[in-house]
Amino acid sequence: MLEAAQASLDWLPAIDPPRVFIPLGAAKVSAGFPSPAADYEDKRLDINEYLVRNPVSTFFFPVQGDSMQGAEIFDGDILVVDRSIKAIHGHIVIAFVDGERLVKRLHHRNGRVALVAENPAYPTIDIRGDMELVIWGVVIGKFKRLG
């Protein structure tokens, strides 16, 4: 029972997270050749403000698996999911299909509804009339701790 109560707490949104402003580099970091950029700090960035647009409807979900690596979503990433956004064709969504929670790209065209993986090793899930589909939220970002 206690575990179930704790699990439900994991679903609560961060309503009013403390603001922590961290220095934001003025120059972009080169992922190619090194740049002799001298200015490293120009303004400050609150990571919550950057990632969370609507705190009461935003949730974080850890990713397990590799079906979305073509969308740069990898095993161990933390997804930022906003339930207030109406999902449209092309959005990456958190969906429940017959009770199973998935992250996939929503295909909704010409009467066809499907959930598409971003890895050719995984099949597209065409939603048929006998299947239950709930689009739970739209993925608006992700983050990952390195090292």
Side-chain angles (χ1 to χ4, degrees), residues 59-125:
F59 297 79
F60 298 143
F61 287 96
V63 174
Q64 181 179 15
D66 61 357
S67 73
M68 294 301 289
Q69 57 185 259
E72 302 295 321
I73 296 174
F74 301 102
D75 188 69
D77 286 353
I78 305 292
L79 300 178
V80 182
V81 180
D82 190 336
R83 293 198 74 189
S84 69
I85 297 172
K86 181 175 174 34
I88 61 172
H89 174 79
H91 275 162
I92 295 174
V93 299
I94 300 294
F96 285 86
V97 177
D98 293 333
E100 183 180 358
R101 184 174 46 210
L102 304 167
V103 57
K104 299 285 184 245
R105 189 173 300 278
L106 177 64
H107 175 93
H108 192 200
R109 287 278 193 249
N110 302 321
R112 178 183 179 219
V113 178
L115 297 173
V116 181
E118 294 281 340
N119 180 338
Y122 293 86
T124 294
I125 301 169

